C-alpha cells in the first residue's frame, strides 16, 4: 500500500506549509486592529484632561505607541488622563511583545523551511512547526519581557522615590511606565522634556539605556546568551546571527558615542556646559537611543547638523532582529558590509565568523534596504513640499518615524495634517515592513525551471 511520507499530504508538502505563507498578512491585520482599538479608546472623553482629542491626534498617538516609536503631537503627561496613559502603556506593551513574539515565530518558520538550525530551535529538524513549539517560544518571549521590565521598574522606582520628591505611588507609576517604554524601545515619557532633567543622573539614564539595549538585541540572541551561561564548562558555538548582532551593535554604540562626543563637546546648547564625566554619560545615553528608543537627555533641536546626520544613519540601521527595535536591523546592515568587503576582495562567496553566508542572504538584505530608502526619501520630499522646515529637520523626522525611534527636533506637532499622516504611514510600515518582507522573501524562495543566457552589464 502506497502512502504519503509522514507529515505530508497528497502533494508531498509539509503540514501547514500553506498556512505558514500567511503570517505576514496575519501580522499586518493584527497590528492594524491594535491601532484601531487604541485610536477608539484614546478618542474617548475619559482619555484626556477635558480637551476633546481630535481623531488624527488619537490615531497618531495610537500608531506611535503600538509601533513603539515615541513620536507625539501632544504632551503625554499634560494631555492624557491616567486612563489615556494606561491605554498608551497597554499599546506599547502589546505592540512590543506582539512584534517580538511574531518575529521570533517567523524566524523559526523560515529556519525550518530553509532547513537551517537556529538558536531558537531544539531537537531534530523537521519541515513543520508544531503548536507546542510556538507556545514555548511565546512563553519564552513573555518571560524575558517580564524579567527585564520588572528589574528595570524596580531600579527606577527606588531612584525616583529615594532621590526625588515623589511619593512611593508616584515613583512606582513613573518607574513602571518608563521601564515598559524603555524595554520596548518606545521612548514615551511622562516628562515634557523626556529625560533631559536627568541627563547627569546615571541611576536613571544608565538603567534606561541598558533596558533599551536589552529589548533591541532580540529574543534569539537572549536564548543563546542564556544557554551559554548554563554551559560554561562546555564548548559552545555561537550562531552567525548572534555574532553579527552583538558585534555590530557594539560597533555602532562605540561609533555613536565617539560621534556625539566629538560633534557636541563644545556646543553651548547641549554638552558644552557639562563636565567631562557628564559629557561621557550623555554621549553614551544618546548613542543608545537610535537603537531605536526615543528618549533624549539632550535637546536634539539644538544639536549640530552633522550630529543629526550621524543620528539619521544610526536610526536607519536600528537594532536586532526579533526584538523591540526598528530600522532595517543590524544583521541586514552587517550582511551588506560583508558582501561589499567580499566583492572588493574579489571573492565569489561571503564568509564571516567561520561561516559562509547562503546565496540568497545578500539579495534579501538588498531587497529590504532599497524600499526602506525609497520610503524615507519619498516621505522627506512630501514633507518638504507641505511644511516650512529644513531638510535636516525633515529627514531626521522621517527616518525616526520609519525606524520607529521617536527622536525629534521638535517639529512633529507643527506638521500639517498631511505631514502627520505621512508619519503615521511610515511608523506602520517601518514597524512591520522589514519583518514581513524578509520573511515573505524567504518563504517564497524557489528554484527556476530554466535559466536565460548570461550577460553582464557595465557596473560603475
Amino acid at each position: 500500500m502506497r502512502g504519503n511520507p509522514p507529515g505530508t499530504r497528497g502533494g508531498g508538502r509539509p503540514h501547514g506549509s500553506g498556512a505558514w505563507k500567511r503570517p505576514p498578512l496575519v501580522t499586518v491585520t493584527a497590528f492594524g486592529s491594535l491601532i484601531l482599538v487604541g485610536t477608539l479608546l484614546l478618542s474617548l472623553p475619559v482619555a484626556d484632561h477635558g480637551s476633546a482629542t481630535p481623531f488624527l491626534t488619537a490615531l497618531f498617538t495610537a500608531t506611535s505607541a503600538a509601533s513603539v516609536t515615541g513620536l507625539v503631537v501632544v504632551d503625554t503627561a499634560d494631555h492624557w488622563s491616567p486612563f489615556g496613559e494606561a491605554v498608551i502603556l497597554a499599546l506599547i506593551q502589546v505592540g512590543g511583545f506582539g512584534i517580538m513574539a511574531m518575529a521570533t515565530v517567523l524566524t523559526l518558520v523560515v529556519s525550518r523551511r530553509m532547513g537551517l538550525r537556529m538558536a531558537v530551535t531544539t531537537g531534530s529538524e523537521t519541515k513543520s512547526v508544531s503548536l507546542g513549539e510556538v507556545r514555548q517560544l511565546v512563553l519564552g518571549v513573555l518571560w524575558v519581557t517580564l524579567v527585564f521590565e520588572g528589574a528595570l521598574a524596580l531600579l527606577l522606582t527606588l531612584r525616583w522615590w529615594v532621590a526625588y520628591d515623589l511619593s512611593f505611588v508616584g515613583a512606582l507609576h513613573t518607574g513602571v511606565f518608563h521601564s515598559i517604554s524603555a524595554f520596548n524601545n518606545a521612548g514615551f515619557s511622562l516628562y515634557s522634556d523626556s529625560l533631559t532633567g536627568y541627563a547627569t543622573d546615571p541611576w536613571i539614564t544608565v538603567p534606561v539605556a541598558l533596558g533599551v539595549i536589552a529589548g533591541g538585541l532580540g529574543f534569539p540572541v537572549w536564548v543563546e546568551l542564556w544557554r551559554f551561561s548554563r554551559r560554561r564548562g562546555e564548548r559552545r558555538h555561537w550562531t552567525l546571527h548572534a555574532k553579527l548582532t552583538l558585534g555590530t551593535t557594539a560597533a555602532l554604540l562605540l561609533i555613536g558615542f565617539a560621534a556625539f562626543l566629538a560633534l557636541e563637546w563644545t556646543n553651548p546648547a547641549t554638552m558644552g556646559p557639562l563636565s567631562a564625566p557628564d559629557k561621557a554619560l550623555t554621549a553614551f545615553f544618546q548613542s543608545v537611543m537610535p537603537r531605536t528608543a526615543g528618549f533624549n537627555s539632550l535637546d536634539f533641536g539644538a544639536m549640530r547638523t552633522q550630529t543629526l546626520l550621524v543620528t539619521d544613519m544610526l536610526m536607519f540601521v536600528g537594532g536586532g532582529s526579533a526584538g523591540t527595535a526598528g530600522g532595517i536591523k543590524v544583521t541586514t546592515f552587517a550582511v551588506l558590509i560583508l558582501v561589499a568587503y567580499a566583492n572588493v576582495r574579489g571573492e565569489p562567496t561571503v564568509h564571516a565568523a567561520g561561516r559562509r553566508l547562503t546565496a540568497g542572504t545578500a539579495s534579501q538584505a538588498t531587497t529590504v534596504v532599497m524600499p526602506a530608502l525609497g520610503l524615507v526619501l519619498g516621505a522627506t520630499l512630501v514633507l518638504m513640499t507641505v511644511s516650512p522646515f529644513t531638510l535636516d529637520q525633515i529627514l531626521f523626522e522621517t527616518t525616526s518615524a520609519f525606524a520607529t525611534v521617536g527622536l525629534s527636533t521638535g517639529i512633529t506637532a507643527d506638521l500639517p495634517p498631511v505631514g502627520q499622516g505621512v508619519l503615521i504611514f511610515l511608523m506602520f510600515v517601518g514597524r512591520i515592513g522589514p519583518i514581513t518582507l524578509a520573511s515573505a522573501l524567504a518563504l517564497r524562495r524557489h528554484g527556476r525551471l530554466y535559466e536565460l543566457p548570461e550577460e553582464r552589464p557595465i557596473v560603475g
Side-chain angles (χ1 to χ4, degrees):
M1 179 176 179
R2 181 175 297 177
N4 296 321
T8 63
R9 290 177 179 150
R13 299 179 62 186
H15 282 306
S17 61
W20 283 115
K21 286 185 178 181
R22 294 190 294 270
L25 179 61
V26 173
T27 303
V28 173
T29 303
F31 192 62
S33 301
L34 176 64
I35 292 175
L36 177 61
V37 171
T39 302
L40 296 176
L41 291 176
L42 291 176
S43 299
L44 297 175
V46 71
D48 55 57
H49 285 303
S51 58
T53 301
F55 177 80
L56 181 61
T57 299
L59 176 61
F60 190 99
T61 305
T63 305
S64 183
S67 64
V68 293
T69 301
L71 288 174
V72 295
V73 291
V74 293
D75 186 87
T76 303
D78 292 340
H79 181 85
W80 302 110
S81 67
F83 175 81
E85 292 178 3
V87 171
I88 292 173
L89 200 63
L91 289 172
I92 293 172
Q93 185 71 88
V94 175
F97 170 78
I99 289 295
M100 183 156 51
M102 178 59 73
T104 303
V105 172
L106 286 175
T107 300
L108 175 62
V109 173
V110 170
S111 67
R112 289 296 180 87
R113 181 69 178 270
M114 300 177 69
L116 302 176
R117 186 175 182 85
M118 300 286 289
V120 294
T121 62
T122 57
S124 59
E125 292 291 331
T126 63
K127 292 296 182 181
S128 62
V129 178
S130 69
L131 182 61
E133 287 176 305
V134 173
R135 185 184 298 112
Q136 183 180 9
L137 284 176
V138 172
L139 290 177
V141 172
L142 178 61
W143 181 83
V144 169
T145 301
L146 294 179
V147 167
F148 278 106
E149 289 181 354
L152 182 56
L154 177 62
L155 291 174
L156 294 178
T157 298
L158 291 176
R159 183 59 178 174
W160 264 305
W161 183 37
V162 173
Y164 298 95
D165 189 21
L166 287 178
S167 65
F168 177 76
V169 174
L172 179 63
H173 172 236
T174 306
V176 169
F177 188 97
H178 286 85
S179 68
I180 294 176
S181 184
F183 180 77
N184 288 283
N185 281 218
F188 275 85
S189 176
L190 295 178
Y191 297 98
S192 302
D193 57 356
S194 191
L195 296 179
T196 56
Y198 305 96
T200 58
D201 187 349
W203 296 101
I204 297 293
T205 57
V206 172
V208 168
L210 294 178
V212 169
I213 294 173
L217 287 179
F219 180 72
V221 174
W222 281 111
V223 169
E224 289 211 49
L225 291 174
W226 170 256
R227 290 177 177 175
F228 181 79
S229 66
R230 302 272 295 190
R231 302 177 181 179
R232 293 182 180 178
E234 301 179 20
R235 188 176 180 180
R236 178 71 181 169
H237 294 286
W238 294 84
T239 63
L240 182 59
H241 171 77
K243 292 178 181 178
L244 291 180
T245 300
L246 294 172
T248 310
T249 297
L252 292 177
L253 289 176
L254 182 60
I255 291 172
F257 174 76
F260 277 103
L261 274 183
L263 297 173
E264 296 296 320
W265 185 277
T266 58
N267 188 344
T270 55
M271 287 187 188
L274 302 178
S275 64
D278 289 339
K279 288 179 180 179
L281 176 63
T282 54
F284 166 72
F285 186 79
Q286 294 308 158
S287 70
V288 172
M289 291 308 110
R291 298 270 56 84
T292 51
F295 295 109
N296 61 283
S297 60
L298 298 173
D299 182 9
F300 272 90
M303 289 188 181
R304 291 170 172 152
T305 304
Q306 303 94 310
T307 310
L308 296 182
L309 182 57
V310 170
T311 309
D312 288 338
M313 294 185 287
L314 294 174
M315 290 191 298
F316 187 76
V317 174
S321 301
T324 58
I328 62 170
K329 304 300 187 295
V330 293
T331 45
T332 304
F333 176 71
V335 166
L336 293 179
I337 295 296
L338 291 170
V339 170
Y341 179 73
N343 285 332
V344 169
R345 292 172 58 90
E347 298 175 349
T349 56
V350 182
H351 295 256
R355 293 290 186 271
R356 177 172 57 87
L357 269 64
T358 59
T361 303
S363 60
Q364 288 181 27
T366 305
T367 307
V368 169
V369 171
M370 295 309 295
L373 282 173
L375 281 172
V376 171
L377 294 178
T380 300
L381 180 61
V382 172
L383 262 62
M384 289 184 67
T385 305
V386 302
S387 69
F389 301 108
T390 60
L391 173 60
D392 56 336
Q393 291 175 310
I394 293 176
L395 180 61
F396 191 91
E397 201 80 7
T398 54
T399 305
S400 179
F402 172 79
T404 67
V405 179
L407 294 174
S408 175
T409 57
I411 68 172
T412 313
D414 297 324
L415 290 172
V418 173
Q420 294 182 9
V422 169
L423 294 186
I424 290 173
F425 174 75
L426 285 176
M427 288 188 289
F428 184 89
V429 175
R431 178 69 276 184
I432 63 175
I435 299 171
T436 54
L437 178 58
S439 59
L441 288 172
L443 291 173
R444 288 173 59 87
R445 184 165 295 277
H446 54 81
R448 284 182 178 270
L449 297 179
Y450 64 92
E451 290 290 348
L452 297 174
E454 186 179 83
E455 185 173 351
R456 181 182 179 86
I458 299 174
V459 177

